[in-house]
Amino acid sequence: MFIVKLLRFLKGYVKFSAGGVFIERFFNLAVHHGVPIWDAEKKDTEMAGCTPAKSYRRLRPYARRTHVYLRVTERHGLPFWLRRYRRRIGLGLGAVLFIAFLFGMGNFIWDIEVEGCAEVSEGEVLDTLAEQGMRIGAFIPALDARDLERTTLLSIKRLAWIAVNITGSTVTVEVRERTMPPEMYLDDDKPCNIVARATGHILSIDVYDGMGMIRAGDTVMEGDLIVSGIIEDAKGKTRIKHARAKVVARAKYTAQAEVPMTQTVREPTGQNDVHISLKAFSAELPLFWKRETEQPYELCRTMTPVSFLGFSTPFAICRDEIAYYREKTIQLTETEAKEQAIEKLGRIEEESMEDIKILSRQLAGKKEGGVYRLTAEYQCEMEIGREQEILINS
């Protein structure tokens, strides 16, 4: 149905009304002789309908034969629109330039989508592709999708497969990540022993290479030998190897967090600004005048892509929300400093103690000079094996 309406619009059509004695006979004669008429309807003593602009003259003979008068009530379609604006050269030229602009811009990348990322970040994939020339605004005919795939696989070792699909002005990058083998062995194969890096009670020991010197249930001190890299076989021959083992023990772990009692903080002034700009590819055009200031501020930017009829475009509206602040110096109480130190310890536990099972924690804090120092002693289950190189005198 859409195609039919489009063809009628391109050819142009008129809506007419017919009045007289034999209106029904007039319509029957016109249709019988092949004059297309649609949307026929009766209005009081008249009937109305639509016909192509070029077919309207063919209705006149049948109107005279049936004593019916005709009157054009509406004109629709491209021919009438062009005739109406035929003297406005700028409008027609603008339409031509706009169409040429759309066809030309179709040769550039408007949007890049990355699918399948889990451990590898989308930003890393986009940065690697950008180094090879594939970015927003890049000229599509100058890009080789297969070459981009090969180079990206060589650059990002954690990827097992990648596909770069260019559809129109949109690029879809599909990736599959590689399952990396566990790092059980070091690249450096120097001879070494495994010694204890902390005092603790051994819970389990798995020797992968070397000679175990202790068993589960033993207690070791920091620096004690756990697995020896010096092995003597049944024939009395001595070999020196790179000892490898996993040693889990119940041990103590100490962490410390320091918080200065005097701090510089930001205080909002209550003055805010909003700057809006239009971004096209990598260029940015301010839509409003920006006020220059040396006052410190925090910036929050949101970007809203501009789409047209459901299709993405290389344009985006950037909204910068600026909140001004002033800096001032405050003196913390011991309670406030302790709260900040506990939060800092929480971050240390998340970042540095991810593989450690915490059984208990004891906190001890004190103020020393201008710093509040909080020390945490943990009872935990942890890997205590540490490699120690065997030095051989040549």
Side-chain angles (χ1 to χ4, degrees):
M1 192 63 184
F2 172 77
I3 300 298
V4 174
K5 291 183 177 180
L6 178 62
L7 292 175
R8 289 173 180 173
F9 174 81
L10 294 177
K11 292 180 178 180
Y13 65 93
V14 297
K15 188 172 183 180
F16 65 92
S17 63
V21 181
F22 304 107
I23 304 177
E24 291 81 359
R25 186 173 176 231
F26 160 74
F27 275 88
N28 290 335
L29 282 172
V31 173
H32 178 72
H33 288 84
V35 181
I37 298 177
W38 65 90
D39 293 344
E41 58 180 346
K42 188 171 184 180
K43 295 181 178 179
D44 298 331
T45 60
E46 296 182 344
M47 287 191 66
C50 297
T51 188
K54 293 183 178 180
S55 300
Y56 179 72
R57 293 184 178 180
R58 296 173 56 190
L59 296 175
R60 292 176 181 175
Y62 312 117
R64 288 194 295 268
R65 289 173 56 181
T66 56
H67 305 286
V68 170
Y69 60 87
L70 299 176
R71 179 168 54 90
V72 176
T73 56
E74 297 177 16
R75 294 176 175 84
H76 300 279
L78 183 61
F80 298 108
W81 187 86
L82 293 176
R83 184 176 180 182
R84 185 184 309 164
Y85 297 104
R86 64 184 182 277
R87 295 184 179 179
R88 300 185 181 181
I89 301 176
L91 185 63
L93 181 61
V96 172
L97 292 177
F98 178 72
I99 295 173
F101 171 77
L102 290 181
F103 277 101
M105 294 297 286
N107 292 318
F108 296 89
I109 295 177
W110 291 13
D111 187 30
I112 303 176
E113 300 175 356
V114 181
E115 300 176 354
C117 283
E119 298 296 329
V120 180
S121 66
E122 292 185 9
E124 184 178 357
V125 176
L126 292 174
D127 291 342
T128 304
L129 292 172
E131 292 176 359
Q132 305 167 55
M134 199 193 80
R135 57 174 65 87
I136 300 296
F139 189 54
I140 294 177
L143 300 176
D144 186 345
R146 305 291 81 81
D147 185 58
L148 289 170
E149 294 169 356
R150 288 190 295 269
T151 308
T152 304
L153 281 178
L154 292 174
S155 300
I156 306 178
K157 303 297 183 182
R158 290 169 292 170
L159 294 182
W161 174 81
I162 183 173
V164 178
N165 302 312
I166 303 177
T167 305
S169 297
T170 301
V171 177
T172 303
V173 182
E174 300 180 25
V175 300
R176 297 292 181 272
E177 297 179 357
R178 187 191 305 274
T179 301
M180 304 301 292
E183 296 183 3
M184 295 180 59
Y185 302 102
L186 300 178
D187 294 335
D188 189 1
D189 202 31
K190 293 181 180 179
C192 67
N193 297 323
I194 302 295
V195 299
R197 62 186 173 110
T199 300
H201 180 75
I202 302 299
L203 299 177
S204 65
I205 176 171
D206 296 319
V207 179
Y208 304 124
D209 212 347
M211 179 181 295
M213 307 301 293
I214 62 171
R215 295 178 297 179
D218 293 345
T219 300
V220 295
M221 304 295 291
E222 182 179 355
D224 284 357
L225 179 63
I226 299 177
V227 180
S228 175
I230 302 176
I231 302 175
E232 184 175 346
D233 58 19
K235 297 181 179 180
K237 186 176 180 180
T238 301
R239 292 180 298 161
I240 302 178
K241 306 185 68 175
H242 187 119
R244 299 179 176 90
K246 181 179 181 181
V247 185
V248 178
R250 182 180 290 111
K252 290 183 179 181
Y253 187 90
T254 303
Q256 195 174 79
E258 296 183 352
V259 175
M261 301 297 294
T262 303
Q263 297 182 4
T264 300
V265 298
R266 297 177 177 181
E267 183 182 52
T269 63
Q271 181 182 1
N272 300 315
D273 281 342
V274 176
H275 296 160
I276 299 178
S277 57
L278 176 65
K279 186 174 182 181
F281 296 120
S282 58
E284 190 170 329
L285 176 65
L287 300 182
F288 297 95
W289 183 261
K290 291 186 178 181
R291 181 168 60 90
E292 298 294 335
T293 179
E294 296 181 357
Q295 188 176 358
Y297 60 86
E298 292 181 348
L299 175 64
C300 178
R301 163 166 285 201
T302 56
M303 294 183 60
T304 305
V306 178
S307 59
F308 179 72
L309 298 178
F311 297 96
S312 60
T313 69
F315 305 103
I317 301 297
C318 301
R319 178 185 175 90
D320 294 335
E321 296 183 3
I322 299 175
Y324 296 94
Y325 64 87
R326 64 174 66 92
E327 294 182 346
K328 69 174 184 178
T329 303
I330 61 171
Q331 189 71 27
L332 296 181
T333 64
E334 193 166 335
T335 302
E336 293 172 337
K338 183 177 180 180
E339 290 176 354
Q340 291 190 14
I342 291 176
E343 293 179 2
K344 200 170 183 179
L345 270 180
R347 292 192 293 270
I348 293 174
E349 292 175 4
E350 292 178 358
E351 297 171 2
S352 304
M353 302 176 64
E354 182 180 359
D355 299 327
I356 297 177
K357 181 181 179 181
I358 299 175
L359 303 176
S360 64
R361 182 180 71 171
Q362 291 184 347
L363 301 178
K366 61 180 178 179
K367 178 183 176 183
E368 295 180 351
V371 177
Y372 182 85
R373 187 172 289 106
L374 183 65
T375 303
E377 289 190 356
Y378 301 90
Q379 286 289 339
C380 53
E381 294 180 7
M382 56 184 288
E383 165 70 50
I384 66 168
R386 176 176 61 85
E387 295 181 354
Q388 185 180 69
E389 184 179 355
I390 301 175
L391 299 178
I392 303 174
N393 295 325
S394 55

